[in-house]
Amino acid sequence: MATIAGATAATGVANAAGYTAEQLLTFCWVTQGLIGVVALWGWTDLGDRIRTGDVVADLLRPLNPVLSYLAIDLGRAGFAVLIRFVVPVAVGALFFDLYVPRHLATYPLFAVSMILGVVVCFGCRFLLNAVGYWLLDLRGVIAAWFVVTGLFVGLTFPLPFLPDWAEATLWIATPFPSIMQGPLDILVERGGQAHQGLILLAQSLWSVVLLLSCAYVQQRAERKLVIQGG
């Protein structure tokens, strides 16, 4: 990502896949902050509790497991915004000319999009961990998630660098762009307000689909769950 931004600035190219050099630099620094906010990697809390049997304690509480874990994750994300997001973006702003949104409405839209990105990522992570109800060893599933997300959430490179058909397929058929690419496009105001509206719509739809899927999988898993020794 940094190489792309640097090449764009060095060659004087005014626009690369709809991004200016400033927008690409902003994209680069903000992605580093968003990794911690959305918790793209490393969350195996549910999977670990399933493996050890501690998940039974979760099921005994008078709380919906999906909503309980979601509330915890949103709280974690709020803390990460202060520690993991603000710091790298501030450092980047000290040394580079980052893109400053031209419209005040972009700031609240970005905040909403970032929250939706957290919800979408949580839904994906919950489903990955819930595989542990059937497969106690999640290492292969987690490894696949690591590879796929690095390529398709907009972390390695902006998705508009892909052919139009490939980018459209990712947006329509997968939740990956809604995790990071969407919030980043809104922040750098790529494509205008109509594009921002479509991003928020896609994120909202994927949030609903994934949370409903989490609830369904959790319900099916509770019917199957067998704790060793009891």
Side-chain angles (χ1 to χ4, degrees):
M1 174 69 73
T3 303
I4 295 173
T8 302
T11 57
V13 176
N15 188 294
Y19 299 99
T20 64
E22 285 184 341
Q23 289 174 319
L24 286 175
L25 285 170
T26 303
F27 204 106
C28 178
W29 283 95
V30 174
T31 51
Q32 298 308 306
L34 280 180
I35 291 174
V37 175
V38 302
L40 193 60
W41 302 310
W43 188 83
T44 59
D45 294 13
L46 176 61
D48 292 340
R49 292 179 70 79
I50 293 171
R51 178 176 52 82
T52 61
D54 291 339
V55 70
V56 172
D58 299 333
L59 302 180
L60 292 175
R61 298 188 182 105
L63 298 171
N64 182 290
V66 177
L67 296 181
S68 177
Y69 274 103
L70 175 60
I72 294 171
D73 201 58
L74 289 174
R76 175 210 53 78
F79 180 75
V81 168
L82 300 177
I83 303 302
R84 187 64 177 82
F85 179 82
V86 172
V87 174
V89 174
V91 171
L94 287 175
F95 297 98
F96 298 95
D97 293 326
L98 301 186
Y99 181 82
V100 178
R102 308 296 192 252
H103 304 93
L104 290 177
T106 297
Y107 294 98
L109 289 177
F110 172 69
V112 172
S113 182
M114 185 164 53
I115 293 171
L116 289 172
V118 172
V119 174
V120 171
C121 191
F122 164 80
C124 293
R125 288 186 278 107
F126 188 95
L127 290 174
L128 284 174
N129 278 253
V131 172
Y133 285 115
W134 289 270
L135 301 174
L136 290 179
D137 191 344
L138 295 176
R139 287 177 294 181
V141 178
I142 297 299
W145 167 258
F146 185 91
V147 173
V148 170
T149 52
L151 292 174
F152 297 144
V153 302
L155 176 62
T156 306
F157 55 85
L159 296 183
F161 279 83
L162 294 172
D164 291 343
W165 65 265
E167 182 189 4
T169 300
L170 286 174
W171 271 106
I172 295 171
T174 77
F176 300 127
S178 294
I179 295 174
M180 292 181 69
Q181 180 70 45
L184 289 162
D185 269 356
I186 287 180
L187 181 63
V188 300
E189 298 177 328
R190 179 183 182 274
Q193 294 180 340
H195 183 60
Q196 292 177 333
L198 288 175
I199 289 173
L200 291 174
L201 177 60
Q203 288 183 294
S204 299
L205 290 175
W206 275 114
S207 295
V208 172
V209 169
L210 286 168
L211 290 179
L212 290 176
S213 298
C214 290
Y216 174 75
V217 169
Q218 179 66 28
Q219 185 181 47
R220 292 296 301 269
E222 289 176 11
R223 296 177 183 175
K224 179 189 181 299
L225 180 63
V226 176
I227 300 301
Q228 295 179 3

Short mmCIF file of all heavy atoms in Angstrom, two decimals, residues 6-41:
data_model
loop_
_atom_site.label_atom_id
_atom_site.label_comp_id
_atom_site.label_asym_id
_atom_site.label_seq_id
_atom_site.Cartn_x
_atom_site.Cartn_y
_atom_site.Cartn_z
N GLY A 6 3.44 5.96 -2.63
CA GLY A 6 4.69 6.65 -2.94
C GLY A 6 4.92 6.76 -4.43
O GLY A 6 5.38 7.79 -4.93
N ALA A 7 4.61 5.69 -5.17
CA ALA A 7 4.78 5.72 -6.62
C ALA A 7 3.86 6.73 -7.26
O ALA A 7 4.23 7.44 -8.20
CB ALA A 7 4.52 4.33 -7.20
N THR A 8 2.64 6.83 -6.76
CA THR A 8 1.68 7.80 -7.30
C THR A 8 2.19 9.22 -7.10
O THR A 8 2.11 10.06 -8.00
CB THR A 8 0.32 7.64 -6.60
OG1 THR A 8 -0.14 6.31 -6.80
CG2 THR A 8 -0.70 8.61 -7.17
N ALA A 9 2.72 9.50 -5.89
CA ALA A 9 3.22 10.84 -5.61
C ALA A 9 4.48 11.14 -6.41
O ALA A 9 4.65 12.24 -6.94
CB ALA A 9 3.51 10.98 -4.11
N ALA A 10 5.38 10.15 -6.54
CA ALA A 10 6.67 10.37 -7.20
C ALA A 10 6.52 10.59 -8.70
O ALA A 10 7.25 11.38 -9.30
CB ALA A 10 7.59 9.18 -6.95
N THR A 11 5.57 9.91 -9.30
CA THR A 11 5.40 10.02 -10.75
C THR A 11 4.48 11.17 -11.15
O THR A 11 4.33 11.46 -12.33
CB THR A 11 4.81 8.71 -11.32
OG1 THR A 11 3.58 8.43 -10.66
CG2 THR A 11 5.78 7.55 -11.09
N GLY A 12 3.86 11.80 -10.16
CA GLY A 12 2.98 12.92 -10.47
C GLY A 12 1.64 12.51 -11.03
O GLY A 12 0.92 13.32 -11.59
N VAL A 13 1.30 11.23 -10.90
CA VAL A 13 0.00 10.76 -11.39
C VAL A 13 -1.09 11.37 -10.55
O VAL A 13 -1.08 11.29 -9.32
CB VAL A 13 -0.08 9.22 -11.32
CG1 VAL A 13 -1.47 8.75 -11.74
CG2 VAL A 13 0.98 8.60 -12.21
N ALA A 14 -2.04 12.04 -11.17
CA ALA A 14 -3.08 12.76 -10.43
C ALA A 14 -4.13 11.83 -9.86
O ALA A 14 -4.76 12.14 -8.86
CB ALA A 14 -3.73 13.80 -11.34
N ASN A 15 -4.30 10.67 -10.50
CA ASN A 15 -5.39 9.81 -10.08
C ASN A 15 -5.04 8.37 -10.37
O ASN A 15 -4.60 8.03 -11.47
CB ASN A 15 -6.67 10.20 -10.83
CG ASN A 15 -7.89 9.48 -10.31
OD1 ASN A 15 -7.99 8.27 -10.44
ND2 ASN A 15 -8.82 10.21 -9.74
N ALA A 16 -5.18 7.49 -9.37
CA ALA A 16 -4.95 6.06 -9.56
C ALA A 16 -6.15 5.32 -9.01
O ALA A 16 -6.38 5.32 -7.80
CB ALA A 16 -3.67 5.63 -8.84
N ALA A 17 -6.93 4.73 -9.92
CA ALA A 17 -8.15 4.00 -9.53
C ALA A 17 -9.09 4.88 -8.72
O ALA A 17 -9.81 4.41 -7.84
CB ALA A 17 -7.80 2.75 -8.75
N GLY A 18 -9.10 6.18 -9.04
CA GLY A 18 -10.00 7.10 -8.35
C GLY A 18 -9.41 7.73 -7.11
O GLY A 18 -10.10 8.50 -6.42
N TYR A 19 -8.14 7.45 -6.79
CA TYR A 19 -7.49 8.00 -5.60
C TYR A 19 -6.38 8.96 -6.00
O TYR A 19 -5.61 8.69 -6.92
CB TYR A 19 -6.87 6.89 -4.75
CG TYR A 19 -7.84 5.88 -4.21
CD1 TYR A 19 -8.00 4.65 -4.84
CD2 TYR A 19 -8.58 6.13 -3.07
CE1 TYR A 19 -8.87 3.70 -4.33
CE2 TYR A 19 -9.46 5.19 -2.56
CZ TYR A 19 -9.60 3.97 -3.20
OH TYR A 19 -10.47 3.05 -2.70
N THR A 20 -6.26 10.05 -5.25
CA THR A 20 -5.10 10.92 -5.36
C THR A 20 -4.01 10.38 -4.45
O THR A 20 -4.24 9.49 -3.64
CB THR A 20 -5.45 12.36 -4.96
OG1 THR A 20 -5.81 12.38 -3.56
CG2 THR A 20 -6.62 12.89 -5.77
N ALA A 21 -2.81 10.95 -4.56
CA ALA A 21 -1.71 10.52 -3.69
C ALA A 21 -2.06 10.75 -2.23
O ALA A 21 -1.76 9.90 -1.36
CB ALA A 21 -0.43 11.28 -4.07
N GLU A 22 -2.69 11.88 -1.91
CA GLU A 22 -3.08 12.16 -0.52
C GLU A 22 -4.07 11.12 -0.01
O GLU A 22 -3.98 10.66 1.14
CB GLU A 22 -3.70 13.56 -0.41
CG GLU A 22 -2.70 14.70 -0.49
CD GLU A 22 -3.38 16.04 -0.28
OE1 GLU A 22 -4.63 16.11 -0.44
OE2 GLU A 22 -2.69 17.01 0.02
N GLN A 23 -5.02 10.77 -0.85
CA GLN A 23 -6.02 9.77 -0.44
C GLN A 23 -5.38 8.41 -0.21
O GLN A 23 -5.73 7.71 0.73
CB GLN A 23 -7.12 9.67 -1.50
CG GLN A 23 -8.04 10.89 -1.54
CD GLN A 23 -9.01 10.83 -2.70
OE1 GLN A 23 -8.65 10.44 -3.81
NE2 GLN A 23 -10.26 11.19 -2.44
N LEU A 24 -4.42 8.04 -1.05
CA LEU A 24 -3.75 6.75 -0.87
C LEU A 24 -2.90 6.74 0.40
O LEU A 24 -2.85 5.72 1.11
CB LEU A 24 -2.88 6.44 -2.09
CG LEU A 24 -3.62 6.01 -3.36
CD1 LEU A 24 -2.66 5.85 -4.51
CD2 LEU A 24 -4.37 4.70 -3.13
N LEU A 25 -2.23 7.84 0.69
CA LEU A 25 -1.46 7.91 1.93
C LEU A 25 -2.37 7.80 3.15
O LEU A 25 -2.05 7.11 4.13
CB LEU A 25 -0.67 9.23 1.98
CG LEU A 25 0.56 9.31 1.08
CD1 LEU A 25 1.10 10.73 1.04
CD2 LEU A 25 1.65 8.34 1.57
N THR A 26 -3.50 8.47 3.09
CA THR A 26 -4.48 8.38 4.18
C THR A 26 -4.99 6.96 4.30
O THR A 26 -5.12 6.41 5.41
CB THR A 26 -5.66 9.34 3.91
OG1 THR A 26 -5.15 10.66 3.76
CG2 THR A 26 -6.65 9.31 5.06
N PHE A 27 -5.28 6.35 3.16
CA PHE A 27 -5.73 4.96 3.12
C PHE A 27 -4.72 4.07 3.84
O PHE A 27 -5.09 3.19 4.64
CB PHE A 27 -5.88 4.54 1.66
CG PHE A 27 -6.83 3.40 1.43
CD1 PHE A 27 -8.07 3.61 0.86
CD2 PHE A 27 -6.46 2.10 1.74
CE1 PHE A 27 -8.94 2.56 0.63
CE2 PHE A 27 -7.32 1.04 1.52
CZ PHE A 27 -8.56 1.27 0.96
N CYS A 28 -3.45 4.29 3.55
CA CYS A 28 -2.38 3.46 4.12
C CYS A 28 -2.34 3.57 5.63
O CYS A 28 -2.28 2.55 6.34
CB CYS A 28 -1.05 3.90 3.51
SG CYS A 28 0.38 3.00 4.15
N TRP A 29 -2.37 4.78 6.16
CA TRP A 29 -2.25 4.96 7.61
C TRP A 29 -3.51 4.55 8.35
O TRP A 29 -3.45 3.97 9.44
CB TRP A 29 -1.89 6.42 7.93
CG TRP A 29 -0.45 6.71 7.67
CD1 TRP A 29 0.10 7.25 6.53
CD2 TRP A 29 0.65 6.45 8.54
NE1 TRP A 29 1.45 7.34 6.64
CE2 TRP A 29 1.83 6.87 7.87
CE3 TRP A 29 0.76 5.92 9.83
CZ2 TRP A 29 3.09 6.75 8.45
CZ3 TRP A 29 2.02 5.80 10.40
CH2 TRP A 29 3.16 6.22 9.72
N VAL A 30 -4.66 4.84 7.77
CA VAL A 30 -5.91 4.52 8.45
C VAL A 30 -6.14 3.01 8.50
O VAL A 30 -6.69 2.49 9.47
CB VAL A 30 -7.10 5.24 7.77
CG1 VAL A 30 -8.43 4.79 8.37
CG2 VAL A 30 -6.97 6.75 7.94
N THR A 31 -5.69 2.28 7.48
CA THR A 31 -5.83 0.82 7.52
C THR A 31 -5.11 0.24 8.73
O THR A 31 -5.61 -0.69 9.37
CB THR A 31 -5.26 0.15 6.25
OG1 THR A 31 -3.93 0.61 6.01
CG2 THR A 31 -6.13 0.42 5.05
N GLN A 32 -3.94 0.80 9.04
CA GLN A 32 -3.18 0.29 10.19
C GLN A 32 -3.96 0.50 11.49
O GLN A 32 -3.90 -0.32 12.41
CB GLN A 32 -1.81 0.98 10.26
CG GLN A 32 -0.93 0.73 9.06
CD GLN A 32 -0.78 -0.75 8.74
OE1 GLN A 32 -0.40 -1.54 9.60
NE2 GLN A 32 -1.09 -1.13 7.51
N GLY A 33 -4.66 1.64 11.58
CA GLY A 33 -5.47 1.88 12.76
C GLY A 33 -6.71 1.02 12.82
O GLY A 33 -7.11 0.55 13.90
N LEU A 34 -7.31 0.77 11.66
CA LEU A 34 -8.55 0.00 11.63
C LEU A 34 -8.34 -1.48 11.95
O LEU A 34 -9.26 -2.16 12.39
CB LEU A 34 -9.22 0.13 10.26
CG LEU A 34 -10.01 1.41 10.00
CD1 LEU A 34 -10.60 1.39 8.60
CD2 LEU A 34 -11.11 1.59 11.04
N ILE A 35 -7.13 -1.99 11.71
CA ILE A 35 -6.87 -3.40 12.02
C ILE A 35 -7.23 -3.70 13.48
O ILE A 35 -7.87 -4.70 13.79
CB ILE A 35 -5.40 -3.76 11.76
CG1 ILE A 35 -5.10 -3.73 10.26
CG2 ILE A 35 -5.07 -5.14 12.32
CD1 ILE A 35 -3.63 -3.92 9.93
N GLY A 36 -6.80 -2.80 14.37
CA GLY A 36 -7.08 -3.01 15.79
C GLY A 36 -8.52 -2.72 16.16
O GLY A 36 -9.07 -3.37 17.06
N VAL A 37 -9.14 -1.77 15.49
CA VAL A 37 -10.52 -1.42 15.81
C VAL A 37 -11.48 -2.55 15.46
O VAL A 37 -12.34 -2.93 16.25
CB VAL A 37 -10.93 -0.11 15.09
CG1 VAL A 37 -12.41 0.19 15.33
CG2 VAL A 37 -10.08 1.06 15.57
N VAL A 38 -11.35 -3.09 14.26
CA VAL A 38 -12.25 -4.17 13.84
C VAL A 38 -11.78 -5.53 14.37
O VAL A 38 -12.50 -6.52 14.25
CB VAL A 38 -12.39 -4.23 12.30
CG1 VAL A 38 -12.91 -2.92 11.76
CG2 VAL A 38 -11.08 -4.62 11.63
N ALA A 39 -10.57 -5.58 14.95
CA ALA A 39 -10.00 -6.84 15.46
C ALA A 39 -9.98 -7.89 14.36
O ALA A 39 -10.54 -8.98 14.50
CB ALA A 39 -10.76 -7.34 16.68
N LEU A 40 -9.32 -7.53 13.27
CA LEU A 40 -9.33 -8.39 12.09
C LEU A 40 -8.78 -9.78 12.38
O LEU A 40 -9.28 -10.78 11.88
CB LEU A 40 -8.52 -7.72 10.97
CG LEU A 40 -8.65 -8.30 9.57
CD1 LEU A 40 -10.09 -8.24 9.08
CD2 LEU A 40 -7.73 -7.55 8.60
N TRP A 41 -7.74 -9.84 13.21
CA TRP A 41 -7.09 -11.12 13.51
C TRP A 41 -6.93 -11.30 15.02
O TRP A 41 -6.92 -10.34 15.78
CB TRP A 41 -5.71 -11.18 12.86
CG TRP A 41 -5.72 -11.00 11.38
CD1 TRP A 41 -6.51 -11.64 10.48
CD2 TRP A 41 -4.90 -10.10 10.62
NE1 TRP A 41 -6.25 -11.22 9.20
CE2 TRP A 41 -5.26 -10.28 9.26
CE3 TRP A 41 -3.90 -9.20 10.95
CZ2 TRP A 41 -4.65 -9.56 8.24
CZ3 TRP A 41 -3.29 -8.48 9.93
CH2 TRP A 41 -3.67 -8.66 8.59
#
